[in-house]
Amino acid sequence: MEKLIRNRYFYFIKIIITLIILYFIFRKIDFQVLFHSFCQIKVSVIIVMLITTAIKIYIEYKNWGHYLAINPDYKPKPSEIFKSHMIGHSLNLLIPGGIGVMGKVFFIENSKTNTFISIGVEKFFQVWINLLFASFAAIFYFRSKFILPTILAFILIIFLPFIICLLKHFDKKNNFAVYFKQYWKIIPRIFVMQILYMFITIFQYFILLNNFISFHFFSAVVSIPLILISNLIPITYAGLGLREKFAIEVFSKYTISAEIAVTVTLTIFLFNSVLPAIVGMVLLLRKKKSIKIET
């Protein structure tokens, strides 16, 4: 009971922080210009956003299957992988901070322990790809000030997925030997899929920005990861407010207005977070309905 109360206080505080940050952001924004910016988004751009979002969901689905393969004895059905992943999207939006996604364990026939391990590896690689691209972007974005520290950080982060294997030496009884073996098997596929996923996300920002201004793709590679790093700071609800603040600050270097920065980040949020969460919610409600019928 005490833990439940603490969690409620935690989420309440996050919502308050989100509202405070959004308040200070919107104080400096012209709402007429913001509304006009949303109305300026072309139909062709919306179609591209829908297609790229679908591709990203497919990549997430394939990766989730790879993470589940850490347990070699578990052979999930494609439908089970997809449904659990999409339900994870809805739970992650309802219960932010990365905690809601843990609810996926209840929609997988695999053991809870093995599924938790899969989720842990999934979160590790999600954090890793954000840090990798952000450290690379920082080399060019801050090249006049912190060139050496950013290069060293980039090199260190490249090897993080391999450093994690050092934990094997603490497994004296070889209880996790099979997991480490499977980990090495999935790494190449995860690398490729995660890097592709990040480039698609950058492309989404790029295509939206070019709806309003002329923006080079390399500039997107240098700036977007520094905005996405805000997703690793769980102090606001679903990253709202903090992500917009990062975007305003990062894009100011390219003389992009705050209105355009907020328009782009909110649009990305709607396509990449809200739409998948809606699909997941439909699947979750169907799942609950089928369970009631069976009982």
Side-chain angles (χ1 to χ4, degrees):
M1 185 64 181
E2 290 182 3
K3 186 177 180 180
L4 179 62
I5 293 173
R6 284 200 304 270
N7 286 339
R8 287 179 177 176
Y9 278 126
F10 176 67
Y11 298 135
F12 178 74
I13 291 171
K14 290 183 73 170
I15 290 173
I16 293 298
I17 293 173
T18 302
L19 292 174
I20 291 173
I21 295 175
L22 288 174
Y23 169 75
F24 283 107
I25 288 174
F26 288 136
R27 275 184 63 187
K28 301 178 180 180
I29 286 180
D30 187 325
F31 277 92
Q32 285 188 336
V33 176
L34 183 64
F35 178 75
H36 183 65
S37 295
F38 274 108
C39 293
Q40 278 188 313
I41 300 177
K42 300 172 185 175
V43 175
S44 58
V45 172
I46 293 175
I47 293 172
V48 171
M49 289 297 298
L50 286 170
I51 293 172
T52 51
T53 298
I55 294 172
K56 288 180 67 175
I57 290 174
Y58 177 75
I59 292 174
E60 291 172 347
Y61 153 75
K62 294 296 290 184
N63 272 350
W64 178 227
H66 295 327
Y67 296 129
L68 289 171
I70 284 183
N71 176 15
D73 297 325
Y74 175 59
K75 306 297 180 184
K77 298 176 181 178
S79 60
E80 185 181 8
I81 298 172
F82 179 75
K83 288 178 182 178
S84 62
H85 173 68
M86 297 310 296
I87 289 173
H89 265 293
S90 63
L91 294 175
N92 196 40
L93 193 63
L94 291 172
I95 311 173
I99 300 174
V101 74
M102 295 296 179
K104 290 196 292 187
V105 299
F106 299 106
F107 302 94
I108 291 290
E109 296 300 324
N110 192 17
S111 72
K112 299 294 183 288
T113 300
N114 287 327
T115 306
F116 272 123
I117 291 173
S118 296
I119 292 174
V121 177
E122 179 185 42
K123 296 300 292 183
F124 170 78
F125 275 101
Q126 288 173 349
V127 172
W128 173 75
I129 198 67
N130 274 280
L131 291 175
L132 181 68
F133 272 76
S135 60
F136 175 80
I139 293 173
F140 297 92
Y141 192 88
F142 301 109
R143 60 181 179 272
S144 61
K145 295 180 180 179
F146 310 109
I147 184 67
L148 184 58
T150 52
I151 291 175
L152 292 175
F154 176 66
I155 294 172
L156 174 63
I157 291 168
I158 286 177
F159 292 101
L160 279 181
F162 304 98
I163 293 173
I164 198 174
C165 289
L166 294 175
L167 296 174
K168 184 178 180 179
H169 298 291
F170 295 95
D171 183 26
K172 302 298 183 182
K173 297 181 180 180
N174 289 326
N175 293 325
F176 298 98
V178 65
Y179 299 113
F180 283 109
K181 184 178 180 180
Q182 290 298 111
Y183 178 82
W184 281 111
K185 286 183 179 180
I186 68 171
I187 274 184
R189 287 171 286 182
I190 295 299
F191 276 5
V192 173
M193 299 295 268
Q194 287 290 82
I195 290 172
L196 176 61
Y197 183 90
M198 182 60 79
F199 271 115
I200 292 174
T201 302
I202 293 172
F203 177 74
Q204 287 182 320
Y205 274 88
F206 170 75
I207 201 73
L208 276 169
L209 285 166
N210 276 277
N211 184 90
F212 306 104
I213 61 169
S214 177
F215 198 67
H216 296 292
F217 187 73
F218 185 73
S219 297
V221 172
V222 170
S223 58
I224 306 306
L226 297 177
I227 297 169
L228 296 177
I229 202 72
S230 64
N231 295 329
L232 305 183
I233 309 173
I235 62 171
T236 63
Y237 181 87
L240 283 171
L242 196 63
R243 184 170 47 247
E244 284 65 39
K245 179 63 176 175
F246 271 53
I248 290 171
E249 295 299 327
V250 172
F251 285 148
S252 64
K253 182 176 180 178
Y254 303 93
T255 64
I256 297 174
S257 69
E259 288 80 9
I260 290 177
V262 172
T263 299
V264 169
T265 53
L266 288 179
T267 302
I268 292 287
F269 173 71
L270 289 173
F271 278 94
N272 290 350
S273 298
V274 177
L275 282 181
I278 291 173
V279 175
M281 184 58 66
V282 172
L283 293 173
L284 179 60
L285 293 175
R286 284 184 179 179
K287 185 76 173 177
K288 285 186 175 181
K289 187 176 180 181
S290 66
I291 292 173
K292 286 182 180 179
I293 291 173
E294 289 174 4
T295 54

